[in-house]
Amino acid sequence: MKSTSTGPSHAVVIGAGLGGLAAAMRLLAKGYAVTVLERLDGPGGRGSAIWRDGYRFDLGPTIVTVPQLFRELWAECGRDFDRDVDLRRLDPFYEIRWPDGSRFTARQDTDAMRAEVARLCPGDARGYERFLEDSAARYRFGFEDLGRRSMHRIRDLAAALPAFARYRADRSVAAHAKRRFKDPRLQMAFSFHPLFIGGDPFNVTSMYILVSHLEKEFGVHYAMGGVAAIAEAMVAAIRAAGGEVRYGMEVERILTGPGGAVRGVALGDAEIAADIVVSNADAGHTYGTLLPGKKRWTAKKMGGRRWSMGLYVWYFGTKGTRGMWPDVGHHTILNGPRYQGLVEDIFIKGQLSDDMSLYVHRPTVTDPSAAPEGDDTFYALSPVPHLGHRDVVDWQAEEPRYREKVAAQLETLIPGFRDRIAAEHVMTPEDFRDRYLSSHGSGFSIEPRILQSAWFRPHNVSEEAQGLYLVGAGTHPGAGLPGVVSSAEVLGKIVPEPARPMAGRMAAE
């Protein structure tokens, strides 16, 4: 399969993660012939799902916070997102619990949130109002402006510096929350969000408090069938437009010609020609294996990056529990006794602690299709060190012990659950490394610190080869569903129009 001078301009997309699939949709809308190559047996990347004995385990992201990004993407392709995907608004978003028994319920309604803040600490009510104002301002600049355009030129960075200074981008999310809230519980509740995209709240730039505005303004949603259902809908849209998505196809190298421009990709002994190549692979894998960087993204520079934390995730299905634990909702954050100390162990010291905080997902509260009738599906996610630290955890040996520690904490939330387990699956950083080719087994690629954001991240336009572009968590604007989908929007703005466009365009059915 090769592009020819008489055929339409051909784009190869490496990886069928959400970023790669969104890129394929954008390129098809521009008139490129598109082939997506995915090494796994299905789409979605970190947003894929697996089935075990009738239980669906959503492997990665579980919420959609900026649904208009998907609606805009679908509209660009002449399609209706809400016809293809059943999105449900969650209320509450999640509940946060602390070891002392106190709780905080996050909702979209501002009055309800004010009441929650006042219930924990009446003196923090004004701080909450100011935090909302701070979050909205950073959203307008950081998301709607910087996050939806390319930042590959130094002049783009220079133009943004006054706003970075004005919004104190040098201050961390946790430091900013501490300025607005006196209660340590509220400081945690309004600063933990960078963990959703692999960032240390005590070192990630305060620009990321914009997540609080995303939640309040647009709500938190769940796609029936999980995020994997969104990925499947994207594949259907791509194929309906004449694009191709092929599974079990591992790209080994990005090929370049004598002038340094890409000419296609190699899969073992086979080659696929292309006019442009878009890599949705992890940035470390792209520049370490597929096309080793020799200009800007050399091995030394990539090796010097700070990577997001690893993840330990225990997925399990429970028999006959649909009516049990009625106070446990769709999402629960179960805190351990420490916040900052635990984060330092994970990100700075790189050591596995005995204590932990857990993110507990119970999708069957909203979506009964994730388990057999009357049953439940769960996952418990614990942030852990990635595999690049000096003292690397041997997960083959450690996993059974760590599972017992996770189980002990889960017993405080869903007592007796172990006697009900009917199916289970575990992923450690080693699985993220092997399944997703993620550098150091990190959960979210490069950590979004201030000097690893915007212009400082691997660019959407590659300097290593003409015609090579990057999308996904490791490039601008970053990880998380809004980030990877926005990276494809940025791609659509910087990729040139095809020299030989396809005769047809995407159109609504």
Side-chain angles (χ1 to χ4, degrees):
M1 188 180 99
K2 295 184 178 181
S3 60
T4 68
S5 59
T6 56
S9 298
H10 184 219
V12 166
V13 178
I14 304 170
L18 276 291
L21 295 173
M25 293 172 71
R26 293 279 181 183
L27 292 170
L28 282 161
K30 289 177 79 74
Y32 281 89
V34 177
T35 301
V36 182
L37 303 173
E38 170 57 54
R39 64 189 293 270
L40 300 178
D41 59 1
R46 287 172 170 83
S48 56
I50 60 173
W51 289 85
R52 293 286 187 272
D53 300 325
Y55 298 88
R56 190 190 74 238
F57 299 146
D58 301 322
L59 296 184
T62 63
I63 59 174
V64 176
T65 52
V66 195
Q68 68 266 29
L69 289 178
F70 286 101
R71 294 189 175 108
E72 291 168 7
L73 173 63
W74 256 248
E76 179 76 11
C77 303
R79 299 178 68 92
D80 181 355
F81 173 75
D82 293 294
R83 190 177 70 176
D84 292 348
V85 177
D86 182 2
L87 208 61
R88 305 288 179 91
R89 187 180 296 271
L90 299 182
D91 185 30
F93 301 159
Y94 47 81
E95 183 182 65
I96 303 173
R97 301 190 185 193
W98 287 274
D100 65 0
S102 57
R103 303 182 183 187
F104 181 87
T105 302
R107 300 179 182 272
Q108 187 171 10
D109 182 76
T110 303
D111 289 337
M113 288 290 280
R114 286 195 192 99
E116 282 292 282
V117 169
R119 184 176 58 79
L120 288 184
C121 182
D124 277 339
R126 176 54 186 153
Y128 172 65
E129 299 290 345
R130 294 183 66 187
F131 190 86
L132 286 184
E133 296 167 2
D134 299 339
S135 176
R138 283 156 181 79
Y139 162 79
R140 288 189 292 270
F141 171 66
F143 190 93
E144 289 295 346
D145 182 7
L146 295 190
R148 305 185 76 168
R149 60 184 173 91
S150 180
M151 288 291 293
H152 67 280
R153 298 168 301 195
I154 190 67
R155 66 174 180 268
D156 298 322
L157 173 64
L161 288 178
F164 279 131
R166 183 166 66 253
Y167 294 125
R168 290 303 305 270
D170 61 308
R171 182 181 292 149
S172 75
V173 170
H176 192 93
K178 192 171 184 178
R179 291 173 62 88
R180 296 292 183 248
F181 301 99
K182 300 182 182 67
D183 192 293
R185 295 166 299 179
L186 292 174
Q187 292 171 10
M188 177 271 161
F190 288 94
S191 70
F192 78 93
H193 297 92
L195 291 166
F196 283 156
I197 55 172
D200 170 356
F202 295 88
N203 282 287
V204 164
T205 171
S206 61
M207 295 300 298
Y208 283 97
I209 68 168
L210 63 83
V211 175
S212 293
H213 181 77
L214 294 182
E215 292 182 344
K216 177 184 178 298
E217 189 69 15
F218 309 118
V220 170
H221 304 77
Y222 176 83
M224 299 299 281
V227 169
I230 300 178
E232 293 285 2
M234 297 171 90
V235 170
I238 291 165
R239 287 175 170 163
E244 189 176 14
V245 181
R246 301 170 65 186
Y247 304 121
M249 306 292 288
E250 182 165 1
V251 174
E252 295 184 358
R253 286 177 295 128
I254 296 170
L255 303 173
T256 59
V262 299
R263 61 179 183 85
V265 298
L267 305 90
D269 296 332
E271 294 185 2
I272 298 179
D275 298 281
I276 66 169
V277 172
V278 178
S279 181
N280 183 215
D282 183 83
H285 182 69
T286 298
Y287 287 137
T289 300
L290 300 181
L291 185 68
K294 298 178 181 178
K295 300 175 185 177
R296 179 175 174 86
W297 300 104
T298 62
K300 180 179 180 180
K301 182 158 187 175
M302 292 303 292
R305 301 298 86 188
R306 296 193 67 94
W307 298 85
S308 65
M309 78 285 196
L311 301 173
Y312 174 91
V313 197
W314 182 14
Y315 310 84
F316 54 90
T318 52
K319 197 76 176 171
T321 59
R322 189 68 59 85
M324 294 178 64
W325 315 303
D327 66 334
V328 178
H330 195 125
H331 294 104
T332 306
I333 297 166
L334 196 59
N335 278 295
R338 299 181 300 151
Y339 178 34
Q340 184 171 359
L342 178 60
V343 168
E344 288 180 354
D345 284 351
I346 294 166
F347 285 89
I348 308 303
K349 299 177 182 177
Q351 65 185 33
L352 192 63
S353 306
D354 288 329
D355 62 323
M356 64 191 67
S357 292
L358 299 176
Y359 176 70
V360 182
H361 180 225
R362 188 186 191 183
T364 36
V365 171
T366 305
D367 184 3
S369 72
E373 185 175 356
D375 296 356
D376 274 307
T377 292
F378 289 87
Y379 82 47
L381 180 154
S382 173
V384 296
H386 62 61
L387 303 175
H389 293 285
R390 181 177 60 186
D391 297 323
V392 180
V393 176
D394 178 359
W395 281 103
Q396 297 297 315
E398 184 61 37
E399 192 280 320
R401 292 191 290 269
Y402 199 74
R403 192 186 315 194
E404 290 301 318
K405 297 174 185 176
V406 172
Q409 186 152 341
L410 283 174
E411 282 288 344
T412 68
L413 180 72
I414 47 175
F417 81 98
R418 299 205 74 177
D419 295 332
R420 300 277 188 159
I421 292 178
E424 58 187 321
H425 177 72
V426 169
M427 290 186 69
T428 73
E430 292 178 355
D431 296 296
F432 278 77
R433 177 197 63 200
D434 299 339
R435 179 177 172 86
Y436 306 123
L437 304 180
S438 176
S439 297
H440 305 303
S442 63
F444 305 88
S445 194
I446 296 171
E447 187 185 359
R449 294 193 176 204
I450 183 64
L451 295 181
Q452 296 189 160
S453 298
W455 180 83
F456 296 102
R457 292 182 82 75
H459 299 153
N460 305 99
V461 180
S462 176
E463 295 88 349
E464 301 300 330
Q466 182 183 348
L468 175 61
Y469 301 87
L470 273 64
V471 294
T475 187
H476 174 71
L481 288 189
V484 301
V485 173
S486 292
S487 73
E489 179 183 359
V490 171
L491 174 83
K493 295 174 180 177
I494 57 179
V495 167
E497 295 297 317
R500 303 175 305 282
M502 289 196 300
R505 285 289 195 275
M506 280 186 162
E509 296 174 352

